[in-house]
Structures are given as C-alpha cells and as structure tokens.
Amino acid sequence: MRVLELKINGDRVEVAAPDHWTLLEVLRYRLGLTGSKQGCDKGDCGACTVLVDGKPELSCLKLAALSEGAEITTIEGLLPLHLQAGGTGPDPVQDAFDRCGALQCGFCQPGMMLSARALLNECHSPSQAEIKKALSGNLCRCTGYTQIIEAVELAIAERVGAKNS
Amino acid sequence: MLRLPKFEVEKPTTVDETVALLSEKTGDVMIIAGGTDLMPNMKHELFTPKKLVSLAGVSALFGIREEAGALVIGAMTPLDQVANHPLVAERAPALAQAAGLVAGPQLRRMGTLGGNVMLDTRCQWYNQTYFWRKSLGFCLKKDGSACHVIEGGSKCVAAASNDTAPALMSLDAKLTFANADGQRELLLDDLWKSDGIFNKKVPPSDLLTEIRLPQREVKHLGAYGKLRDRGSIDFPLFGVAVRIDIDANDVVVDAEAVSVALQARPTRIRKFGESLVGTTLGSPEFEKGVQAAASLGHKQCRPMPNVPGDHEYRHAMVPVYLKRTILAAAAGAGPVHAV
C-alpha cells in the first residue's frame, strides 16, 4: 500500500492503494468516479479512456502508482472544467452527444467523449477521417458509430460557426 | 473484471539505478515501459513478477535525436511520437508508418518503441486468461507441454507480432543494451532466436536503452504493410516492411523486405532484391520485378495457425500486401492497411 498524490479533474487527492492497482481501479473503487468504465480490462475496448495531460490513455492498463504528477481528466471532470473555462452548461461534446442521440447502451460513451474532447483540443476543425482515426481506439458494441461521428461533427460545426459569426 | 496479481513498483530515475534493480533478483523482477502489453499479460497470469521496475522516470531513455548522421531513438519514446516525428518520417518512412499502425491511439501514446521491439511473442492459445488456458490444459509456452498450433510439436511457434521490428530491421537498426557489466551494441537481426517461448538472445534483465538507425549512403524509399481484421487496435496477422535503395536516376540498387507475425522471429525475405535491382521505378521491368518479388514472398512466408485469422487466408494475402507495400514505397506513399 502506498499513499498516492493524484491530480484528478483539477483537484489534488491523496489516496492509498496497493501497487498492483490500476488507475481505473483507484478511480472507481477508491474515489467513486465510476464514469470510467471497466470493459474488457485489457486494452481492447477503450471504455476506460481518461485524459492524461490532455491526451487519451487507457486507465485499465495504467498503474495508479505510475500516475502521479499527471493531470488526469475523467468524464466527471468535463462539465466542471468547461464551467471553469467560462462556458455554460455541459461541455459542447457532451451536449452534442446528447442532442444526436449518440448512445445506445451508453457504456462506451465516456471514453468516446473524452477521445473526442482530446481531438477538439488539439485540432480546430478536424475532418471526418481525423475524427474516425481519433475514435478508432474506442469500441461501441451497439455499433452506434454513425451518431457518434455526427455528434463530434456537430460539436465542431458549432464551434466553427461560433467563431465565424 | 481482470485483476493484476500482487507486485511492488520501483521507480528509478537513472539507467544505473535501473540496471542495479534489474540485477537484484532475476526472474522475480520485470521491466515496465508503457505497460500496454505487460499489463494484459499479467492480468492473464502469463507473468507474475514480485517487482516491476518502471522506466517512466528515467529521462535518459526518452527522445529522438541525430547523432553523427545516425538517427537515435530512446527506448521509452512513445510510439505516437515516433509515428509523427518529422525526422523519422524523412529518414525512416517505414518505421514512422509501422509505429503509426500499432494498436490504437491510446495505446500508441502509452506504448513505447523499446517496448514494441521487446514485445513478447503472441499466440491465440497463449494470450488468454488463466481459466481459458487451464481449461485447454495449457500450452508449450506457458504451464503446459503440448502445442496446439502444430499437433505433436515440441517447439513453440508463437509469433513475433511487433510492427516496428521489421521496419527497423529493413533499416539495419542497432540496439544498445545496458546491464551491470556496462553497455553493448547489437544488430537487431542478431537479437532474435526462433523460439516462441522467448525469442531474444539477450536476457530479460538487460535494459534496452536506445535504437540507432545508421546513416544510409544511398537514398531509400520505404513503406510498411499490415494485415489485420480491423483498421485499429489489432496486432498484425501479417506485416511487411520494404526498403528500396535508388540512385539519382531512380534505378533500384538494392531492396529488402522483412516480414512479421508468421513465426517466432521477424524474417528477411531472402533474395528479395534480385528481381528489382537494375530496374527503373515505374518501368515495365520494375512492375515485372514487383510481381516476381511478391511471388517469392508468397513462397517463403508461410503463416501458421498461431495468431488469430485463418492461416490460408493470411498466406493468400502475403503477395497482395507485399506487392502493395513495394508499390507504396516506390510511390513515396503508404502505409498499406485496410480502412
């Protein structure tokens, strides 16, 4: 057991966990942040995706003991971070997923939205090919990819529209 | 839910500290780089070390630089950096393409070039949970005595599945290893042995510190082709890296191809360049040479039912992917993959 100092969704948290616990286990079972999903648990599905220093990584394959010092963002952090940055309501990616009905069972959604958020942070108006590539590490078992891609395109279109108007 | 077996983590910050920790208790200690292959393998109880030595804090192992004409890549450099670095794209296009096709975006950010080179071999009968493997009576590579790939086989044929290895071999890469006795350099070709249980001649207690691509005297073109079921995430069902050396008139002066995901080690296609050398890129003779080279690959590359996917289909795809990859290299394009 070691006491870890983690930076999660803008907060500094101290949490005790054994060395063999993954970041996903600490998020879900120590901190109650159950938005990150435990899917395949071996790096295939992307349901456990979190942002580490702004880039998507898989928390099921990342040891909590090796996650100190990085800024970790989970799905629970998207709305507060958006508000902190001066926005209103949910993150535009979350809003677009909601309006496009970009979910069926919803299990892949947190990972999908975080991968999409990272893409939008990196690139102002990515193409559909770039969207597909950025989301290619996230599987949707309901195969609802069409609405998911539409949602990311909607978030991009509204951002581009807001800038141009 | 897959839980990791218990272990402790060490976080050294220098190569010397790391090497000292690795020489402490051989067998009980393992290196963790990006962890993208080690973690699932440990969740499947394929490895149960008591201690993991993390390289994440060893700053000397990161980065891409030029050194006396050679391109030097630190072993801990993430695969997405290798894939997107302008120096790699310019000097080693096949490597940039191969690194960009490893797994998916999250895993390329976490996984490292050194980790991909030192990747464990894979087999559909091995990369499974303990329960699954036990139900089958285990296999040669781990806990058992029978091979499920080759009936009655006494030699493990788990496949080298590292996309970057053939690309690096096509560019005559050299590796630097560190251990308690100091450093040594090894040609990547000399790293491998044809044993699926452990396909490297260097013991796991040695630390790969950097990968060196020597300066090439002649201009070259390169590409990587990868056969897999999906356009992302999957390991290769067949992979091939091609290098074509050309003179100022676009005449081929040498050519190499290296395959992966067939047997325990990445393999050079023998006499690959013979039908291409002397032809001019884009000429009818070159096209003929490409056909001949693809047929040669089809004869030499014989997939086994070791990794997922029908092995006869994989065999049929060998000349298809080989031809496409040669043509992509010649056109300065690539990578070759579905989707």
Side-chain angles (χ1 to χ4, degrees), chain B:
Chain B
M1 183 191 290
L2 292 167
R3 304 301 300 268
L4 283 164
K6 279 187 183 169
F7 56 83
E8 284 177 7
V9 174
E10 296 280 354
K11 303 188 210 181
T13 55
T14 66
V15 169
D16 287 348
E17 260 180 84
T18 310
V19 163
L21 283 164
L22 291 172
S23 58
E24 235 174 52
K25 284 185 251 164
T26 311
D28 287 345
V29 184
M30 284 183 84
I31 295 168
I32 178 165
T36 53
D37 192 53
L38 183 66
M39 290 291 100
N41 285 353
M42 286 180 65
K43 288 181 175 188
H44 289 166
E45 295 180 51
L46 299 171
F47 302 109
T48 49
K50 291 190 177 72
K51 197 182 270 187
L52 287 185
V53 179
S54 167
L55 305 182
V58 188
S59 53
L61 302 179
F62 290 79
I64 299 172
R65 64 181 196 276
E66 267 186 306
E67 201 178 276
L71 183 64
V72 183
I73 306 174
M76 277 297 283
T77 308
L79 287 161
D80 69 345
Q81 275 183 33
V82 176
N84 296 313
H85 200 283
L87 261 183
V88 182
E90 183 200 323
R91 301 273 303 269
L95 175 62
Q97 292 176 17
L101 288 189
V102 175
Q106 294 98 322
L107 295 171
R108 284 195 293 275
R109 172 150 171 88
M110 300 168 75
T112 65
L113 182 62
N116 194 251
V117 171
M118 301 305 283
L119 189 80
D120 188 23
T121 54
R122 296 184 64 83
C123 179
Q124 57 183 331
W125 311 101
Y126 167 74
N127 294 96
Q128 305 287 354
T129 61
Y130 183 85
F131 174 80
W132 194 102
R133 292 185 294 114
K134 189 182 171 204
S135 307
L136 195 76
F138 301 110
C139 78
L140 265 185
K141 184 160 160 72
K142 178 70 180 161
D143 300 325
S145 55
C147 179
H148 305 292
V149 178
I150 297 173
E151 212 180 310
S154 59
K155 197 171 181 186
C156 175
V157 290
S161 301
N162 21 17
D163 289 301
T164 63
L168 288 166
M169 276 168 71
S170 75
L171 295 159
D172 305 312
K174 291 173 179 169
L175 310 177
T176 306
F177 285 93
N179 64 21
D181 300 326
Q183 285 200 348
R184 64 172 167 145
E185 204 172 63
L186 189 73
L187 192 66
L188 180 54
D189 278 72
D190 297 334
L191 175 68
W192 315 109
K193 55 180 180 178
S194 295
D195 180 0
I197 293 177
F198 187 70
N199 70 343
K200 296 163 197 82
K201 289 178 189 157
V202 171
S205 54
D206 282 16
L207 172 68
L208 173 63
T209 57
E210 61 189 28
I211 296 110
R212 186 173 292 260
L213 297 174
Q215 186 168 25
R216 305 203 70 84
E217 303 302 324
V218 186
K219 186 186 171 189
H220 85 275
L221 302 161
Y224 182 69
K226 176 172 181 170
L227 173 70
R228 57 179 166 181
D229 282 336
R230 299 175 289 192
S232 183
I233 306 172
D234 294 334
F235 280 94
L237 302 179
F238 170 68
V240 65
V242 167
R243 192 197 82 229
I244 304 173
D245 292 351
I246 50 169
D247 69 10
N249 300 317
D250 281 355
V251 174
V252 178
V253 290
D254 193 16
E256 285 283 340
V258 186
S259 68
V260 77
L262 297 171
Q263 46 181 300
R265 49 163 299 164
T267 320
R268 279 180 191 269
I269 295 175
R270 296 180 306 280
K271 300 182 179 176
F272 173 77
E274 275 186 5
S275 63
L276 297 167
V277 169
T279 65
T280 306
L281 294 185
S283 67
E285 294 75 30
F286 177 74
E287 303 285 332
K288 242 193 232 168
V290 173
Q291 287 293 358
S295 305
L296 188 72
H298 192 224
K299 278 188 202 125
Q300 289 182 33
C301 300
R302 300 209 163 262
M304 287 177 274
N306 47 7
V307 298
D310 180 77
H311 64 287
E312 286 175 8
Y313 166 72
R314 286 164 59 215
H315 192 212
M317 286 296 107
V318 167
V320 177
Y321 271 68
L322 194 48
K323 184 180 165 184
R324 287 181 189 169
T325 309
I326 302 168
L327 292 175
V336 174
H337 70 126
V339 188

Side-chain angles (χ1 to χ4, degrees), chain A:
Chain A
M1 195 75 72
R2 75 168 82 199
V3 177
L4 303 170
E5 234 182 66
L6 301 175
K7 285 186 267 182
I8 297 175
N9 299 330
D11 294 330
R12 262 182 61 178
V13 292
E14 281 191 359
V15 56
D19 277 5
H20 66 283
W21 273 36
T22 62
L23 175 60
L24 179 64
E25 287 167 326
V26 166
L27 290 172
R28 290 181 62 87
Y29 308 123
R30 282 281 195 265
L31 302 173
L33 297 171
T34 53
S36 307
K37 299 299 179 223
Q38 201 157 12
C40 69
D41 229 355
K42 56 193 180 79
D44 283 338
C45 74
C48 67
T49 300
V50 297
L51 302 186
V52 177
D53 293 328
K55 297 283 175 71
E57 294 194 13
L58 299 182
S59 60
C60 78
L61 298 185
K62 195 171 181 73
L63 291 175
L66 298 175
S67 301
E68 289 182 299
E71 294 278 355
I72 292 152
T73 308
T74 70
I75 194 66
E76 290 89 347
L78 273 196
L79 186 145
L81 288 174
H82 180 60
L83 296 179
Q84 260 175 41
T88 52
D91 184 289
V93 170
Q94 290 174 305
D95 191 40
F97 269 66
D98 179 19
R99 286 190 285 146
C100 289
L103 82 161
Q104 288 180 44
C105 81
F107 200 82
C108 70
Q109 226 187 353
M112 287 282 185
M113 290 194 286
L114 286 166
S115 286
R117 172 38 62 205
L119 173 69
L120 264 64
N121 286 348
E122 203 171 284
C123 185
H124 183 69
S125 52
S127 65
Q128 193 184 77
E130 286 170 318
I131 296 170
K132 285 183 176 173
K133 192 174 179 191
L135 298 183
S136 66
N138 295 81
L139 298 181
C140 168
R141 287 296 77 176
C142 313
T143 68
Y145 293 103
T146 304
Q147 286 100 321
I148 289 168
I149 291 159
E150 279 172 9
V152 183
E153 286 178 327
L154 176 66
I156 295 162
E158 293 191 336
R159 175 158 83 173
V160 173
K163 203 186 171 189
N164 292 343
S165 61

